[in-house]
Amino acid sequence: MSSIIQLLPDHVANQIAAGEVVQRPASVVKELLENAIDAGATDIKLICKDAGKTLIQVIDNGKGMNVTDARLCFERHATSKIRKAEDLFDLHTKGFRGEALASIAAIAHVELKTKQDQDELGTHLVIEGSKFTSQEPSVLPKGTSFSVKNLFFNIPARRNFLKSDVVELRHIIDEFQRVVLAHSNIHFTMYHNGSELFNLPQSNLRQRIVNIFSGKTNEKLVPVQENTEIVTIDGFIGKPEFAKKNKGEQFFFVNDRFIKSGYLHHAIMAAYEGLLRDGAQPSYFLYLSVPPHTIDINIHPTKTEIKFDDEHALYAILRSAVKHSLGQFNVAPVLDFERDATLDTPYSFQNKEVDFPTIQVDSTFNPFEQEKKTTTSNFSSGGYKPKKETQSWESLYVGLKDTFEPQEMHFESEVTINSLFADSEVEKPKTVTYQIHKKYIVSPIKSGMLIIDQQRAHQRVLYEQFLTNITVHHANSQQLLFPITLYFSGNEMSLINELRPSLENTGFIFDAIGQDSVVISGLPVTVSESEASIVLEQLVADLQDEIPESSFSQIDSMAKSMAKSLAVKTGAILTEAAQENLVNNLFACKENSVSPFNKPTFITISVEDLDKKFSV
């Protein structure tokens, strides 16, 4: 009987491994950027076309490779980062498994150009689906150029699962930002379809953060520093008043490696307790340095999760460090009634030396040596002109008696009501709605009564209004007396640019859209000036993770997000007129029984149901 277990061919094994390593174009970007950093590069360029589906190229000025290394780097489990198993617990580099390049070469067309500084000629390799098609010496500059073309060309099923270019580009930018934030001493540039998206020169950490997330980020940051035997914490946290709905600007780095940790995130949220509004997320850029032997970074294929030896101590230190910074720079409230906040020293001047003022005296000054001007000079020829005599004040009123005569004044007589109850015969409209617990609206009907959820009902009304305005391209706007300027990050600005036509159809009027800001001169009638930033931030947060493929789905998601932001909330007190207006608008909707999120807007209780309650 023949054996049923067989060894897989290398190209099949590489394609299977590629399923773990290369999930989308952003995975290739991450691996190539980390290899360039490990090569000691000080200038790295990332070039993409069609969100990485057509081309991903990384050019660096690192130490390069010789001919043997250039061939060997595409073999599985070939790496220059480790030599023995113990090295896994003393890692100072990014990649170490030796599967990335082999996996990439198995599912794409790869072109490698590399040269070491001491060599006269470099090496030019071309690989298609793990097969070397050409290898030749070439005149190249120092460093490495790695081009990945036609990703997933031999796995069409995986290529079909890729999202739109906008979504894939956003994932690439996310990976790019995670790498550049960890290495502010390296010059990074990124191009997409020929246009420059980022140009980040060498700088300090604060300047690198500002260069990525717009100029207004500088005033939002509060520094964090803590040195202990277990961990060294450095970085910045955001002020509570700038917290947003989304988690876009939250970064943890452990030994210059980006990680995700819900446990450490909980420590940050605990430090902000009592300072954030409901649902708000603070921004933070925190860098943790720990001894390499106290962590295990080989527990996840993408190496974004780390296991710590002493998580509880790290949790406590991180929480106290963040809380100390919030209190130290007067971000958190302080119970000190005698402290004058205007006398506090800004933290940017904490370590500056005091500049004492200097006094300069003119020792040669003698006031008695000045020549005195005689008063007779005033009477020189042409120098004196006698003043005209002013007329007496009585002359101002000459002629008034002749022209002004007080006339008889008539006053309107006020209408007096003979009786306090004179209007009792006028029948007032009866109240047909009632609000219960600032949440539900009760309205009687013939068969019983309706109980309406005011928030869900208002969401349905606004949702259908926004859908109509966007699709019909007609909406009323209210002009602002003074235009308002809102600031967003690069990712958020690209999304707002894409949504601009739909936003204008809802009533927004944009005067200008820059790289990190928008100027708004008009708002929809249902949006107040104070709600403009809330609506746009919520819209960006809802659509930032996954933008729908079709334009209709995008418009639908946009209408849902704006309806959720602007709907009356639970706890709001509604007048009788507002209650009736909401009920009438709800039953004028095409689909009034459910909210935009498929939750019931009202229930009915019949008289029979009430009778059963009292029949006991």
Side-chain angles (χ1 to χ4, degrees), residues 49-202:
K49 289 184 180 179
D50 301 329
K53 299 174 184 177
T54 303
L55 172 67
I56 299 173
Q57 184 177 9
V58 173
I59 306 172
D60 67 72
N61 62 347
K63 56 187 177 182
M65 293 179 286
N66 57 28
V67 179
T68 305
D69 290 340
R71 287 290 298 246
L72 194 59
C73 71
F74 291 101
E75 299 296 330
R76 291 189 66 196
H77 309 303
T79 179
S80 62
K81 316 299 173 60
I82 61 175
R83 291 289 184 268
K84 53 186 183 297
E86 288 75 12
D87 292 343
L88 289 174
F89 300 98
D90 191 22
L91 287 172
H92 300 278
T93 57
K94 302 293 183 183
F96 54 87
R97 287 199 306 259
E99 291 183 332
L101 296 184
S103 301
I104 294 171
I107 56 173
H109 296 162
V110 177
E111 185 177 359
L112 173 63
K113 298 178 181 179
T114 182
K115 175 184 173 295
Q116 291 183 330
D117 194 16
Q118 66 273 15
D119 296 335
E120 293 183 359
L121 294 176
T123 304
H124 183 193
L125 289 176
V126 178
I127 305 174
E128 295 180 2
S130 296
K131 296 180 180 180
F132 287 87
T133 59
S134 68
Q135 175 181 339
E136 57 186 10
S138 180
V139 178
L140 300 170
K142 174 198 170 185
T144 302
S145 172
F146 209 113
S147 301
V148 178
K149 303 176 183 177
N150 303 323
L151 193 64
F152 299 122
F153 79 100
N154 53 357
I155 310 179
R158 177 64 67 88
R159 190 176 181 89
N160 292 335
F161 276 107
L162 294 178
K163 303 294 184 180
S164 64
D165 287 355
V166 178
V167 176
E168 296 299 338
L169 178 61
R170 182 164 299 109
H171 285 287
I172 291 176
I173 292 176
D174 288 343
E175 292 292 348
F176 180 79
Q177 290 178 350
R178 293 168 183 175
V179 173
V180 301
L181 283 173
H183 301 277
S184 59
N185 58 335
I186 300 177
H187 180 201
F188 287 92
T189 51
M190 178 180 175
Y191 302 88
H192 181 255
N193 291 341
S195 61
E196 183 180 272
L197 299 185
F198 293 96
N199 189 348
L200 308 172
Q202 297 180 4

Side-chain angles (χ1 to χ4, degrees), residues 239-434:
K239 297 179 180 179
E241 59 265 28
F242 295 105
K244 297 183 179 180
K245 292 284 186 181
N246 61 333
K247 298 182 179 181
E249 299 178 4
Q250 296 180 347
F251 296 89
F252 276 121
F253 298 92
V254 176
N255 295 352
D256 291 336
R257 184 189 298 273
F258 172 79
I259 68 162
K260 298 178 182 178
S261 176
Y263 188 68
L264 297 182
H265 174 74
H266 189 274
I268 302 294
M269 297 302 293
Y272 275 91
E273 187 177 2
L275 299 177
L276 299 174
R277 59 182 184 270
D278 292 340
Q281 293 286 336
S283 58
Y284 52 79
F285 309 86
L286 295 176
Y287 298 76
L288 284 64
S289 298
V290 299
H293 65 273
T294 61
I295 58 174
D296 185 3
I297 60 178
N298 197 26
I299 64 172
H300 194 272
T302 60
K303 294 171 286 187
T304 56
E305 295 182 8
I306 289 182
K307 185 177 181 181
F308 298 93
D309 280 355
D310 194 352
E311 288 187 337
H312 298 289
L314 191 62
Y315 180 98
I317 294 172
L318 182 60
R319 179 189 171 203
S320 62
V322 173
K323 204 159 192 174
H324 178 260
S325 292
L326 292 173
Q328 180 182 6
F329 300 114
N330 301 320
V331 177
V334 180
L335 287 176
D336 186 359
F337 300 103
E338 297 180 357
R339 183 181 64 84
D340 187 357
T342 60
L343 300 179
D344 293 337
T345 304
Y347 62 82
S348 58
F349 291 88
Q350 290 286 341
N351 299 323
K352 287 189 176 181
E353 297 182 357
V354 178
D355 294 333
F356 293 96
T358 57
I359 301 176
Q360 296 180 355
V361 179
D362 186 5
S363 59
T364 62
F365 176 73
N366 187 351
F368 299 103
E369 292 181 357
Q370 291 183 346
E371 296 182 358
K372 298 181 180 180
K373 295 181 180 180
T374 60
T375 57
T376 57
S377 62
N378 292 332
F379 297 94
S380 60
S381 61
Y384 174 74
K385 293 181 180 180
K387 296 181 180 180
K388 295 181 180 180
E389 293 185 1
T390 58
Q391 297 178 354
S392 60
W393 61 271
E394 290 89 347
S395 62
L396 297 174
Y397 300 96
V398 174
L400 290 180
K401 292 182 180 180
D402 300 333
T403 59
F404 176 77
E405 292 182 0
Q407 300 178 357
E408 184 180 358
M409 304 180 69
H410 300 278
F411 296 94
E412 292 185 4
S413 59
E414 296 183 357
V415 179
T416 58
I417 299 176
N418 296 329
S419 172
L420 294 175
F421 304 99
D423 58 343
S424 59
E425 297 180 358
V426 180
E427 186 177 353
K428 292 184 178 180
K430 296 181 179 179
T431 303
V432 295
T433 59
Y434 307 90

Side-chain angles (χ1 to χ4, degrees), residues 505-520:
N505 290 335
T506 62
F508 283 93
I509 299 177
F510 297 97
D511 272 2
I513 295 184
Q515 293 184 347
D516 60 354
S517 62
V518 293
V519 180
I520 300 174

Side-chain angles (χ1 to χ4, degrees), residues 549-591:
E549 298 285 343
S550 64
S551 60
F552 176 77
S553 298
Q554 183 174 315
I555 292 173
D556 182 72
S557 300
M558 179 177 162
K560 287 180 180 178
S561 176
M562 295 181 66
K564 181 173 64 175
S565 301
L566 297 173
V568 60
K569 301 298 185 292
T570 298
I573 301 176
L574 301 181
T575 62
E576 295 179 1
Q579 295 172 29
E580 294 182 13
N581 187 41
L582 179 58
V583 173
N584 294 334
N585 289 335
L586 173 63
F587 288 98
C589 294
K590 295 180 180 179
E591 182 60 55

